[in-house]
Amino acid sequence: MERIKKAKMVLLVCFVSTIGWTQSQIDLIGNWQNEERSDMVTEFYLAKDGLVYGKRKESKKDLKNEEHIFIKKLKYSSDTKTFMGTMTPPDKDILLNVVISFENKDRIKMVARKLLMSKTIYFKRIKQ
């Protein structure tokens, strides 16, 4: 009888952990606008591998809506309540480590790092 209670508790903890990860993942999915550059919109989406990716939708006069997947393999960490993955800026040939955290439900902070250098970018949710 005691084993059954322990097994149920383990299943409950696993289920609750999965719900938290899924909810955070859902919260990030959608379109976000760079607060520094209003012409840059990033769409975060869930890929078939179960990880979150970000593609930039940039509208320029000389180009028609260029899209570039630049944020890759974001995985949610329930310990730190952040998404961690990599980023390759469209105009540079470097790989950066990124950490994305929620400031509130409509604002996120992305910190991109390479060795001792870092850049922080804020995004606001585009409501549709």
Side-chain angles (χ1 to χ4, degrees), residues 29-40:
I29 305 298
N31 293 318
W32 296 80
Q33 183 178 34
N34 185 323
E35 290 184 353
E36 291 176 16
R37 294 190 53 194
S38 61
D39 64 327
M40 288 186 161

Side-chain angles (χ1 to χ4, degrees), residues 71-122:
I71 299 174
K72 299 178 181 178
K73 299 183 179 181
L74 289 173
K75 185 174 182 180
Y76 184 72
S77 168
S78 58
D79 293 340
T80 60
K81 296 186 181 359
T82 59
F83 288 87
M84 292 181 258
T86 60
M87 172 182 160
T88 305
D91 55 345
K92 297 188 172 79
D93 189 26
I94 58 173
L95 183 66
L96 306 170
N97 293 316
V98 294
V99 176
I100 296 176
S101 59
F102 280 91
E103 296 283 301
N104 60 49
K105 68 177 187 150
D106 292 325
R107 188 171 192 237
I108 56 174
K109 175 174 93 170
M110 180 176 76
V111 179
R113 288 192 172 93
K114 181 73 174 185
L115 300 174
L116 298 176
M117 297 176 60
S118 69
K119 168 115 174 126
T120 301
I121 302 168
Y122 291 92

Side-chain angles (χ1 to χ4, degrees), residues 10-54:
V10 168
L11 287 174
L12 179 64
V13 168
C14 290
F15 178 72
V16 169
S17 298
T18 302
I19 289 174
W21 161 209
T22 305
Q23 184 60 46
S24 296
Q25 186 178 24
I26 290 169
D27 289 343
L28 185 62
I29 305 298
N31 293 318
W32 296 80
Q33 183 178 34
N34 185 323
E35 290 184 353
E36 291 176 16
R37 294 190 53 194
S38 61
D39 64 327
M40 288 186 161
V41 174
T42 300
E43 178 187 352
F44 289 99
Y45 64 95
L46 181 63
K48 290 181 182 177
D49 62 3
L51 301 175
V52 177
Y53 290 75

